[in-house]
């Protein structure tokens, strides 16, 4: 019973060219498939285009061409875009493929023969943008909430799918499989829709109104409703009903078929599709859940500027333009790191540049070139023999208090710990679709390795002949860490990972390689010959970046760092020691409302390594939410319950999308940061003067 993994993206409508939103979903699917391959699990990824229906017919008519010619053109754009973004779909499906048309007709016939499709008259509010009838519950001020236009009332005779007959079976499945739809908020949304009650689904369009669709097998006067047609792509692409691929990736015992969508198309995927699959199973005399997928993974929306991306607002973000500017891997990294899976995220190019310089140019880029340059300078580029005995003096050294960082390199006996423990955390995150968190784990390794270089000072060891073995060991460990990092970033940044692996003499990154890290094996043999490193991510110097750096330096000369404000991810230069601050009068000081508070709750903020979100009791009606830049100095459980001093009248700000209403005071001594507290318990809300 070999495990397999199958992941699909929505098949995209061909009425728009590929944009950031399409690119995100398709990159996520590619990352998930690559991650499974890295573990040695056979994986298949499918994407494609959705080409029938009103919307496409209208778009083609607008251009004055036949729908098929129009669909061919836009579908081609999607097909070409994916490899340019480092995405390798195993199958690209089109709903106009004859094989797909055949399967749709065969499924319709089966369900019809089993009595789950009937003919009736229906009137309802149809939204062309959504290509479906909307219920009264779904309308907001009489308009479609997604397209902002009132739906059109339509009344006609059509074929209906008895979706209502499967409401209870679907509810039961959702109850028995709590992660059938994930994250949970979307499962709850589907449950709420089921609670409101379903209606049967209209699944045909009379040809008198629309001809651009798959003809119904049992009535030539009708074409199939576009969603009933499109959803079936997920199994046509595997050769349903009896293709080998269908067994391997969908119906077989080790198969784990999964879909990936954004929240906009939750209802068709969370309700129409599973009920269609149950009807198909019933028609074939199988158990209701025989055909059901394993998981529906739902992500949020990328917002641009004030809201949605749209052609009319002129804010459509084109993935290929960003890729040309920053490189494909930087683009992929940003999307995967910045969005917490399931939640909306704001896209901004400035933020992308910031992350590029901090995480890629500084953190990983510097580590890579620094370690390899030292290896070439001190050991002719050859990975030395490990020498744990030489590292005895490092025993017990704790670089950081946090787990996963705690014992990295701290003792020879534990030299693997950080990598394999981190790889286990990374694996768990990726299995749960927490992509940003998985990257945060890898960045923990990178951070720890950078700190190790600073602490062990290989350049100093190189000056002392009796420290040669210690230097060997340090360089050996650093090379292993670079190899681990190359492998772990491969799903996200395949080009960079391969470039690192080749420079390190590791060869190609191959299926199953992550398992070796989990098994705590060293990837690079001593004696491996490395190449001279090339810059992985040359810094991006935009005018904005330079202006910001200049402003920051000026500021660093005037004011001490504050605990409530996040410091930029990695300052390029050390801040100059603060000079004496200018004198102020007592009334100026009195304008600052300092209060004593107690931290009630503390948690990390996904995607912000340095920030903690605190709920602080300031003796007010409601506790205050304050974001503090102390995550690298305090674990949430350490700060919970502590008394802290808060600047209570600071203007609220939003940090990484989280509102902060105040600032926690802390003392900063070099790298150490400690919050300011009274030396005995006092009442929350007490004035601090
Ligand atoms: N054709 C249907 C899907 C049929 S699947 C059987 C469709 N197509 S679409 O072109 O509108 O694509 C919608 C999908 O594109 C979303 O579910 C999401 O995957 C992606 N995105 C489009 N805009 C997006 C954002 N702004 N942000 C994130 N992803 C979004 O619906």
């Amino acid at each position: 019973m070999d495990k397999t993994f199958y992941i699909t993206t929505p098949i995209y409508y061909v009425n728009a060219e590929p944009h950031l939103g399409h690119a995100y979903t398709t990159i996520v699917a590619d990352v998930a498939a690559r991650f499974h391959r890295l573990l040695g699990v056979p994986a298949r990824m499918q994407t494609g285009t959705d080409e029938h229906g009103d919307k496409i017919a209208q778009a083609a008519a607008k251009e004055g061409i036949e729908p098929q010619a129009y669909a061919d053109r836009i579908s081609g754009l999607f097909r070409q875009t994916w490899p340019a973004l480092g995405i390798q779909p195993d199958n690209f499906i089109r709903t106009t493929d004859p094989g797909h048309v055949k399967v749709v007709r065969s499924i319709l016939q089966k369900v019809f023969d089993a009595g789950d499709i009937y003919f009736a008259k229906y009137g309802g509010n149809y939204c062309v943008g959504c290509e479906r009838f909307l219920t009264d519950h779904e309308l907001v001020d009489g308009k479609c909430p997604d397209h902002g236009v009132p739906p059109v009332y339509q009344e006609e005779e059509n074929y209906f799918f008895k979706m209502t007959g499967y409401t209870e079976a679907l509810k039961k499945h959702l109850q028995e499989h709590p992660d059938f739809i994930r994250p949970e908020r979307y499962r709850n949304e589907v449950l709420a829709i089921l609670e409101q009650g379903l209606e049967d689904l209209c699944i045909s369009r009379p040809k008198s109104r629309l001809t651009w669709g798959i003809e119904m097998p049992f009535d030539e006067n009708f074409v199939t409703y576009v969603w009933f047609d499109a959803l079936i792509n997920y199994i046509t692409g595997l050769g349903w009903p009896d293709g080998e691929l269908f067994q391997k990736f969908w119906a077989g015992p080790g198969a784990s078929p999964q879909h990936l969508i954004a929240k906009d198309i939750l209802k068709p995927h969370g309700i129409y599709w599973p009920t269609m699959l149950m009807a198909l199973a019933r028609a074939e005399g199988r158990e209701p859940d025989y055909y059901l997928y394993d998981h529906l993974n739902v992500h949020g929306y990328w917002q641009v500027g004030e809201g949605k991306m749209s052609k009319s607002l002129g804010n459509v973000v084109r993935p290929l333009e960003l890729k040309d500017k920053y490189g494909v891997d930087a683009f992929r990294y940003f999307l995967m790191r910045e969005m917490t899976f399931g939640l909306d995220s704001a896209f901004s190019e400035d933020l992308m540049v910031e992350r590029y310089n901090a995480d890629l140019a500084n953190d990983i880029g510097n580590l890579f070139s620094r370690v390899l340059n030292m290896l070439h300078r001190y050991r002719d580029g050859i990975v030395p023999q490990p020498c744990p005995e030489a590292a005895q003096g490092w025993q017990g050294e704790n670089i950081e208090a946090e787990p996963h960082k705690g014992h990295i390199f701290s003792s020879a006996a534990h030299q693997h710990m950080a990598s394999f423990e981190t790889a286990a955390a990374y694996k768990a995150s990726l299995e749960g679709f927490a992509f940003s968190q998985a990257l945060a784990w890898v960045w923990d390794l990178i951070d720890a390795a950078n700190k190790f270089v600073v602490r062990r000072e290989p350049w100093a060891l190189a000056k002392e002949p009796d420290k040669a073995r210690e230097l060997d060991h340090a360089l050996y460990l650093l090379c292993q860490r670079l190899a681990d990092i190359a492998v772990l970033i491969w799903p996200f940044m395949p080009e960079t990972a391969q470039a690192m692996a080749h420079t390190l003499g590791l060869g190609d990154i191959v299926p199953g390689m992550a398992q070796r890290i989990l098994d705590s094996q060293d990837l690079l043999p001593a004696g491996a010959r490395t190449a001279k490193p090339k810059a992985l991510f040359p810094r991006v110097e935009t005018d904005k970046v330079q202006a910001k750096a200049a402003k920051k330096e000026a500021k660093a000369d005037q004011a001490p760092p504050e605990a409530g404000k996040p410091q930029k991810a990695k300052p390029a230069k050390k801040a100059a020691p603060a000079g004496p601050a200018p004198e102020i009068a007592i009334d100026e000081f009195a304008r600052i409302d300092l209060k004593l508070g107690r931290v009630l709750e503390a948690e990390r903020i996904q995607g912000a390594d340095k920030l903690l979100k605190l709920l602080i009791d300031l003796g007010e009606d409601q506790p205050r939410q304050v974001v503090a830049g102390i995550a690298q100095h305090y674990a949430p459980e350490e700060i919970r319950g502590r008394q802290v001093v808060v600047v209570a009248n600071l203007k609220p700000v939003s940090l990484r999308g989280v509102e902060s209403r105040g600032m926690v005071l802390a003392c900063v001594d070099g790298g150490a940061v400690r919050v300011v507290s009274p030396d005995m318990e006092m009442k929350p809300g007490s004035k601090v003067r």
Side-chain angles (χ1 to χ4, degrees), residues 9-16 19-26 50 55 78 227 230-234 260-265 269 299-303 308-309 339:
T9 73
I11 47 172
Y12 304 111
Y13 286 130
V14 287
N15 66 338
H19 60 55
L20 176 77
H22 306 125
Y24 174 73
T25 313
T26 318
D50 188 356
K55 204 150 72 168
F78 277 94
W227 273 108
L231 288 160
I232 290 175
N233 91 84
Y234 298 134
L260 179 67
I261 57 164
K263 60 184 186 180
D264 56 335
I265 48 177
H269 284 81
H299 64 77
Y301 245 54
W302 282 99
Q303 315 279 8
K308 283 181 91 162
M309 250 184 304
M339 180 175 262

Side-chain angles (χ1 to χ4, degrees), residues 235-252:
I235 56 175
T236 351
L238 292 176
W240 179 88
D242 41 27
E244 206 180 291
L245 289 173
F246 188 70
Q247 273 310 308
K248 180 170 174 187
F249 290 108
W250 195 285

Side-chain angles (χ1 to χ4, degrees), residues 163-409:
M163 197 157 74
T164 42
Y166 296 94
T167 315
E168 290 312 312
L170 181 55
K171 267 192 200 162
K172 183 163 170 261
H173 191 79
L174 279 160
Q175 253 120 36
E176 287 169 2
H177 301 84
D179 59 356
F180 181 62
I181 297 175
R182 59 187 183 186
E184 203 187 350
R185 56 169 58 210
Y186 298 111
R187 169 184 182 260
N188 294 340
E189 261 184 49
V190 166
L191 278 171
I193 300 175
L194 292 174
E195 281 310 322
Q196 278 167 13
L198 294 182
E199 288 177 7
D200 286 343
L201 184 64
C202 175
I203 56 160
S204 68
R205 297 291 177 267
K207 277 199 187 161
S208 54
R209 183 156 74 75
L210 175 78
T211 52
W212 184 235
I214 299 178
E215 191 180 286
M216 286 285 197
F218 38 79
D219 191 337
E220 59 182 22
N221 295 317
F222 288 83
V223 292
T224 312
Y225 167 50
V226 66
W227 273 108
F228 203 98
D229 156 1
L231 288 160
I232 290 175
N233 91 84
Y234 298 134
I235 56 175
T236 351
L238 292 176
W240 179 88
D242 41 27
E244 206 180 291
L245 289 173
F246 188 70
Q247 273 310 308
K248 180 170 174 187
F249 290 108
W250 195 285
S256 179
Q258 313 208 7
H259 301 305
L260 179 67
I261 57 164
K263 60 184 186 180
D264 56 335
I265 48 177
L266 176 62
K267 190 169 176 184
H269 284 81
I271 295 181
Y272 302 174
W273 181 225
T275 54
M276 284 164 64
L277 288 169
M278 286 196 230
L280 179 61
R282 192 181 82 89
E284 293 182 341
R286 301 179 189 273
E287 289 296 307
D289 58 358
Y290 176 78
Y291 278 125
L292 291 186
Y293 54 77
D294 259 17
H295 300 289
L296 175 63
N297 304 288
V298 188
H299 64 77
Y301 245 54
W302 282 99
Q303 315 279 8
V304 176
E306 288 305 293
K308 283 181 91 162
M309 250 184 304
S310 83
K311 254 196 220 163
S312 51
L313 290 175
N315 62 355
V316 172
V317 179
R318 293 192 175 77
L320 294 183
E321 284 173 11
L322 290 167
K323 169 234 157 194
D324 288 344
K325 227 161 147 183
Y326 302 103
V328 61
D329 280 0
F331 176 63
R332 289 171 65 110
Y333 172 79
F334 176 76
L335 296 188
M336 300 305 294
R337 184 72 179 88
E338 194 59 31
M339 180 175 262
T340 299
F341 193 85
L343 303 180
D344 289 352
S345 257
F347 179 86
S348 97
E349 203 170 326
D350 287 347
L351 201 58
M352 182 164 164
V353 170
E354 225 172 88
R355 274 219 179 268
Y356 178 104
N357 282 337
D359 302 2
L360 300 178
N362 271 7
D363 291 348
I364 188 169
N366 276 352
L367 177 71
F368 184 69
S369 56
R370 190 177 199 195
V371 169
L372 279 162
N373 283 328
M374 288 192 294
L375 190 70
H376 280 268
R377 200 168 313 129
Y378 306 132
R379 294 293 180 262
D380 293 328
I382 313 269
V383 177
Q385 286 290 338
C387 185
E389 317 78 66
Q392 288 306 317
W394 309 350
Q395 291 259 358
E397 231 176 48
N398 260 355
I399 292 173
E400 290 281 329
E402 291 170 49
H404 297 289
K405 279 187 186 172
H407 28 232
I408 187 169
F409 303 126

